[in-house]
Amino acid sequence: MLGKGVVGGGGGTKAPKPSFVSYVRPEEIHTNEKEVTEKEVTLHLLPGEQLLCEASTVLKYVQEDSCQRGIYGKLVCTDFKIAFLGDDESALDNDETQFKNKVIGENDITLHCVDQIYGVFDEKKKPLFGQLKKYPEKLIIHCKDLRVFHFGLRYTKEEEVKRIVSGIIHHTQAPKLLKRLFLFSYASAAQNNTATDPKNHTVMFDTLKDWCWELERTKGNVKYKAVSVNEGYKVGERLPAFFVVPTPLPEEDVRCFQGRGIPIWCWSCHNGCALLKMSALPKEQDDGLLQVQKSFLDGIYKTIHRPPYEIVKTEDLSSNFLSLQDIQTAYSKFKQLFLIDNSTEFWDTDIKWFSLLESSSWLDIIRRCLKKAIEITECLEAQNMNVLLLEENASDLCCLLSSLVQVMMDPHCRTRVGFQSLVQKEWIMGGHCFLDRCNHLRQSDKEEVPVFLLFLDCVWQLVHQHPPAFDFTETYLTVLSDSLYLPIFSTFFFNSPHQKYINMGRESQDTQSKPLNLLTVWDWSVQFESKAQMLLKNPLYVEKPKLDKGQRKGTRLKHQRQLSLPLTQSKSSPKRGFFREETDHLIKNLLGRRISKLINSSDELQDNFREFYESWHSKPTDYHGLLLPHIEGPEIKVWAQRYLRWIPEAQILGGGRVATMSKLLEMMEEVEHLQEKIDERHHSQGALLAEAPPLLRSSARLSSLFPFALLQRHSSKPVLPTSGWKALGDEDDLAKREDEFVDLGDV
């Protein structure tokens, strides 16, 4: 199951719990306290970071099990993070720490990354909120990146326990003002140290030139134009300063409803069709105003829908697709499968893991998103129709689906620079409310809705199924998801470009105060050294073949996928039952009944989709052309590296996909070496291993959850639960199989 390995251990009935558990001997406590005094670990503070409270003689448990083993040290809380400072004798060697994050250490938790805080009172776990009358003997912190920390406070002074527990609760749960985020403290203190990476070529889409460049790249400049009507955000606060609209559309129309009801260009297909999005008009009760809106929309549609030359297919995402509540509810259930407090809980839930996974509906939501993206792709690619995405603010599911469609259809978006530019264009400039969706301000009336994480999970499905098509790795996607909670980057901490604009001091009349220079997450050198960044780049990425000058355009090249045949996915036939699901009707939406003529019937759409889907999967994959995922039930998998990386029991030492990749790299290195001898060259043009991390060449020492698993302290083997495992054999037999791994396969 998900690459989980079941490590054999002793079984049997549970022993009665002792009335007192001695974690360490008294002399060990004395020794550890002495070491903390003599060997004080330095707290590294970022520019602008301030220490708020601390507590000494805190025990951080290595694993919360019957052994109760741990490390003594100091627990501190700053205005940026919670950090544990301890002298860990089992420190990793230099090779294994090559993926160390320069901003956040192994025992650091940013305040924004804290998901839930629990206290243990007389062996009972309770959530902690607000002011406490009684303070716990143990503190448990669940993180949004799915880490779980246990801190023992039994030997900590009472006053220090009160300060550290109250401080952590307050600074992670109390509502905040935007200007009080650490983002601004850091930017103010590091004004002279925020040099950008010259190798970062991400297009930020904050200038008119960037949009013109994108139009030219996609050949969309024939029918669409970049406009600056909202420069200075004079028209609407939800729009970017610059964007693209159909060429015939008068700029006066953009001003009518603050940019609402305007078809905004996302991307153009090679055949001239375009993907557009539109936000809903304000809801009005007055008949006169409703008539004005109807006349306005009629005029807009005459601009973009001119059959037979221009045909528009609408997708109403507000009423005929997922809701934000669906996403929020599913992820809340899903994440609980990975927030494991101890080894016993892991094995107790393992027996019903598949049913819990299915009941969360998270994988089904991913499948629905991919299916909808394929439907949109089919309209653009096969039916030569423009597609208009409709949503209340066009900033949630519009961002997700428009981005997915471009990843599937545009190979440029499958490079790292292209993918980052895509996120900038569709999510940042598209006005996705990261501040609200991640609830960075801890507002009590808002719940976290991980729309962007859902997008990354959908992209991971594509990366997992078609590795050679992507310039980046799943590790890149994992650290990108972690960066959502790093408040030194401005990328994911605003609701719109306008909100960022007014809070950076751009509107200030004070000529002496300089606008803040906020960092972007795309400067990976801030987080990782160059060696670590190598793990973000896919060494098996198939470069696009370059045509020789004398080669004719019509000549078909032999595809480079043959270099990576072991990674080729089998083309399984789709399940017939899957396609019986009815397609939602798109007739009732804000544009009225007249657009029903533009929408195909449900049956016809399903037939077109099935034919398009099956036809593509029956042919060899072109990694630089259209790319479709398998969406049948078993093909949608759990993103193991992100969700399981902190659970030692879920790792396969020396196994998993990383072992396969390691062997492939060794074989390819050998082939290239032989090719160099044949060609009598020392610099092969396609040297795929030139930037391959050396660690990958030694799969025996790696975990299936590399590179994060190397940060784990491998714990003692667990005791299998006595209930539910009778079918596996006698418990005495299980106890003898201590080193045997039972691979339960992938989901």
Side-chain angles (χ1 to χ4, degrees):
M1 178 174 69
L2 305 168
K4 278 189 180 182
V6 180
V7 185
T13 57
K14 293 183 179 179
K17 291 183 179 179
S19 58
F20 174 77
V21 178
S22 177
Y23 299 98
V24 287
R25 296 188 300 274
E27 59 267 26
E28 289 180 326
I29 298 173
H30 177 73
T31 304
N32 284 335
E33 288 180 332
K34 186 177 180 181
E35 287 179 0
V36 171
T37 304
E38 294 179 354
K39 213 170 184 178
E40 190 73 31
V41 180
T42 306
L43 173 63
H44 297 286
L45 298 175
L46 295 176
E49 185 178 4
Q50 296 181 348
L51 178 64
L52 301 175
C53 51
E54 59 184 308
S56 302
T57 327
V58 174
L59 180 65
K60 175 184 175 291
Y61 294 101
V62 175
Q63 184 183 12
E64 174 64 8
D65 58 10
S66 58
C67 296
Q68 301 288 340
R69 296 176 294 112
I71 305 161
Y72 276 95
K74 182 184 291 186
L75 185 63
V76 303
C77 180
T78 73
D79 56 351
F80 168 62
K81 65 177 181 284
I82 301 165
F84 177 79
L85 311 174
D87 179 28
D88 189 354
E89 296 179 354
S90 57
L92 299 168
D93 58 57
N94 292 333
D95 284 339
E96 293 182 337
T97 56
Q98 74 166 6
F99 199 63
K100 181 180 179 181
N101 192 304
K102 296 194 292 184
V103 178
I104 290 295
E106 180 184 353
N107 293 321
D108 295 345
I109 315 164
T110 65
L111 300 182
H112 294 282
C113 193
V114 175
D115 188 31
Q116 187 64 268
I117 301 174
Y118 298 93
V120 176
F121 304 85
D122 299 326
E123 298 187 2
K124 292 183 179 180
K125 174 182 162 184
K126 299 178 181 179
L128 301 181
F129 302 99
Q131 296 290 333
L132 301 181
K133 295 181 180 179
K134 183 181 178 182
Y135 289 86
E137 60 195 42
K138 187 183 298 181
L139 195 65
I140 302 175
I141 300 178
H142 287 186
C143 303
K144 293 181 180 179
D145 62 3
L146 305 180
R147 288 180 296 170
V148 177
F149 287 87
H150 294 255
F151 298 108
L153 306 173
R154 180 168 294 187
Y155 299 107
T156 309
K157 294 179 181 178
E158 185 177 351
E159 286 303 314
E160 291 186 1
V161 170
K162 290 181 180 180
R163 279 199 300 270
I164 194 67
V165 173
S166 300
I168 289 175
I169 291 174
H170 174 75
H171 293 289
T172 58
Q173 295 182 356
K176 295 178 176 62
L177 297 173
L178 178 60
K179 279 287 192 177
R180 299 299 300 271
L181 293 182
F182 180 73
L183 173 70
F184 296 97
S185 302
Y186 180 81
S188 299
Q191 276 290 73
N192 299 324
N193 300 318
T194 53
T196 56
D197 184 2
K199 296 181 180 179
N200 179 22
H201 302 297
T202 303
V203 182
M204 305 303 289
F205 290 97
D206 53 359
T207 66
L208 191 65
K209 183 180 178 181
D210 289 346
W211 288 98
C212 292
W213 177 87
E214 181 72 354
L215 273 174
E216 186 177 349
R217 185 187 72 81
T218 61
K219 305 295 187 293
N221 49 0
V222 177
K223 301 177 182 178
Y224 298 89
K225 62 182 179 181
V227 295
S228 57
V229 64
N230 198 40
E231 189 171 10
Y233 302 96
K234 299 173 183 177
V235 173
E237 297 179 358
R238 294 296 306 162
L239 290 173
F242 311 99
F243 52 94
V244 175
V245 296
T247 301
L249 187 73
E251 291 191 8
E252 292 75 20
D253 287 356
V254 179
R255 297 186 176 93
C256 289
F257 295 97
Q258 297 182 327
R260 289 182 172 273
I262 296 297
I264 295 178
W265 177 87
C266 298
W267 179 77
S268 285
C269 186
H270 61 86
N271 58 15
C273 295
L275 181 62
L276 308 166
K277 63 182 178 182
M278 180 190 288
S279 56
L281 290 177
K283 295 181 179 179
E284 297 288 351
Q285 301 297 328
D286 184 83
D287 291 339
L289 292 175
L290 284 173
Q291 188 60 40
V292 171
Q293 288 187 354
K294 185 179 183 302
S295 299
F296 176 77
L297 291 174
D298 283 342
I300 293 296
Y301 256 81
K302 288 177 182 177
T303 302
I304 61 176
H305 180 65
R306 295 174 295 173
Y309 308 106
E310 294 284 336
I311 302 177
V312 176
K313 163 77 161 54
T314 61
E315 288 283 356
D316 183 10
L317 304 178
S318 294
S319 60
N320 293 311
F321 193 48
L322 295 168
S323 68
L324 296 182
Q325 184 63 48
D326 292 337
I327 298 171
Q328 191 273 331
T329 302
Y331 187 71
S332 295
K333 294 179 181 178
F334 179 72
K335 70 181 180 182
Q336 295 305 319
L337 297 173
F338 311 100
L339 291 168
I340 304 296
D341 278 346
N342 52 60
S343 183
T344 303
E345 182 182 339
F346 176 87
W347 295 109
D348 285 344
T349 59
D350 189 71
I351 196 72
K352 53 185 177 181
W353 203 90
F354 282 110
S355 60
L356 292 173
L357 177 63
E358 185 179 3
S359 65
S360 74
S361 299
W362 181 250
L363 295 186
D364 186 59
I365 283 179
I366 292 172
R367 180 184 64 81
R368 290 179 65 185
C369 290
L370 292 172
K371 180 175 182 286
K372 179 63 71 175
I374 297 173
E375 289 176 2
I376 296 169
T377 299
E378 189 268 335
C379 289
L380 292 166
E381 179 77 14
Q383 298 189 38
N384 293 330
M385 298 172 65
N386 295 330
V387 177
L388 178 64
L389 304 177
L390 305 174
E391 193 181 13
E392 183 66 28
N393 291 309
S395 59
D396 286 302
L397 298 174
C398 274
C399 299
L400 189 151
L401 288 173
S402 63
S403 300
L404 273 181
V405 168
Q406 290 174 65
V407 170
M408 291 180 186
M409 299 189 72
D410 191 344
H412 174 69
C413 297
R414 301 197 285 266
T415 65
R416 198 165 87 180
V417 169
F419 184 79
Q420 293 174 175
S421 302
L422 173 68
V423 173
Q424 278 292 138
K425 181 179 69 169
E426 297 298 334
W427 294 84
I428 311 304
M429 293 301 154
H432 180 65
C433 300
F434 282 100
L435 195 67
D436 291 344
R437 296 295 174 255
C438 298
N439 201 11
H440 287 315
L441 298 183
R442 301 288 182 176
Q443 302 297 315
S444 58
D445 60 336
K446 291 184 174 64
E447 289 191 72
E448 186 172 354
V449 186
V451 183
F452 186 69
L453 179 59
L454 174 59
F455 165 66
L456 295 181
D457 209 329
C458 291
V459 173
W460 178 84
Q461 304 293 331
L462 283 159
V463 171
H464 180 78
Q465 293 183 25
H466 306 287
F470 289 86
D471 180 36
F472 50 86
T473 62
E474 67 168 337
T475 302
Y476 168 84
L477 295 174
T478 301
V479 296
L480 182 57
S481 71
D482 291 342
S483 301
L484 283 168
Y485 315 112
L486 268 180
I488 65 171
F489 305 112
S490 63
T491 311
F492 303 128
F493 277 82
F494 292 103
N495 281 336
S496 65
H498 171 260
Q499 188 182 50
K500 179 180 179 180
Y501 177 81
I502 62 175
N503 283 283
M504 286 175 61
R506 302 291 187 192
E507 291 186 332
S508 175
Q509 302 298 322
D510 186 0
T511 55
Q512 294 182 350
S513 62
K514 295 182 179 179
L516 292 176
N517 186 19
L518 302 177
L519 286 176
T520 172
V521 73
W522 313 126
D523 187 355
W524 293 106
S525 62
V526 175
Q527 293 192 64
F528 303 105
E529 299 291 352
S530 56
K531 281 186 177 180
Q533 290 184 58
M534 290 163 63
L535 293 171
L536 308 182
K537 184 174 178 60
N538 181 13
L540 299 178
Y541 173 60
V542 177
E543 296 281 355
K544 189 172 184 178
K546 296 180 180 179
L547 292 173
D548 295 333
K549 291 183 179 179
Q551 191 172 19
R552 292 178 298 174
K553 291 184 179 179
T555 305
R556 185 175 181 85
L557 291 173
K558 193 174 183 180
H559 204 276
Q560 289 194 27
R561 71 185 299 214
Q562 295 172 7
L563 295 176
S564 307
L565 284 177
L567 283 179
T568 302
Q569 300 294 315
S570 61
K571 305 287 185 180
S572 58
S573 58
K575 291 185 177 179
R576 292 182 179 273
F578 168 76
F579 294 104
R580 293 175 186 170
E581 175 186 328
E582 292 186 2
T583 302
D584 294 323
H585 292 284
L586 304 176
I587 296 176
K588 294 181 180 179
N589 55 44
L590 63 93
L591 296 173
R593 296 179 181 176
R594 66 184 300 273
I595 67 154
S596 62
K597 299 176 182 178
L598 311 178
I599 303 174
N600 294 323
S601 68
S602 177
D603 292 339
E604 183 182 350
L605 190 145
Q606 284 289 70
D607 291 340
N608 291 337
F609 172 77
R610 180 168 57 248
E611 182 182 353
F612 177 73
Y613 179 85
E614 293 180 351
S615 173
W616 188 89
H617 280 291
S618 67
K619 300 172 184 176
T621 305
D622 178 4
Y623 293 127
H624 298 285
L626 179 64
L627 197 71
L628 299 184
H630 285 284
I631 56 174
E632 302 81 36
E635 298 292 343
I636 304 299
K637 302 181 185 297
V638 168
W639 183 0
Q641 188 194 66
R642 185 186 192 275
Y643 300 122
L644 289 166
R645 55 185 158 155
W646 312 119
I647 305 177
E649 293 84 357
Q651 299 171 23
I652 306 173
L653 298 180
R657 289 178 63 86
V658 67
T660 305
M661 180 173 283
S662 174
K663 294 300 180 185
L664 281 171
L665 291 173
E666 288 179 12
M667 291 173 61
M668 293 173 69
E669 185 181 42
E670 217 175 308
V671 170
E672 286 184 351
H673 180 66
L674 293 172
Q675 187 67 47
E676 285 179 2
K677 285 188 174 182
I678 294 172
D679 297 340
E680 296 182 350
R681 299 187 298 191
H682 295 288
H683 301 286
S684 177
Q685 187 176 359
L688 294 175
L689 275 179
E691 297 183 3
L695 259 178
L696 283 175
R697 303 184 190 182
S698 179
S699 62
R701 62 193 295 218
L702 301 181
S703 159
S704 57
L705 303 179
F706 172 86
F708 301 96
L710 288 174
L711 302 179
Q712 298 296 300
R713 304 290 184 262
H714 298 299
S715 58
S716 59
K717 297 181 178 66
V719 176
L720 289 174
T722 57
S723 60
W725 290 90
K726 300 298 182 183
L728 295 180
D730 188 77
E731 292 168 15
D732 293 334
D733 294 334
L734 287 173
K736 296 176 183 177
R737 295 155 54 187
E738 288 189 350
D739 295 321
E740 180 179 354
F741 283 86
V742 181
D743 187 5
L744 299 182
D746 287 335
V747 170

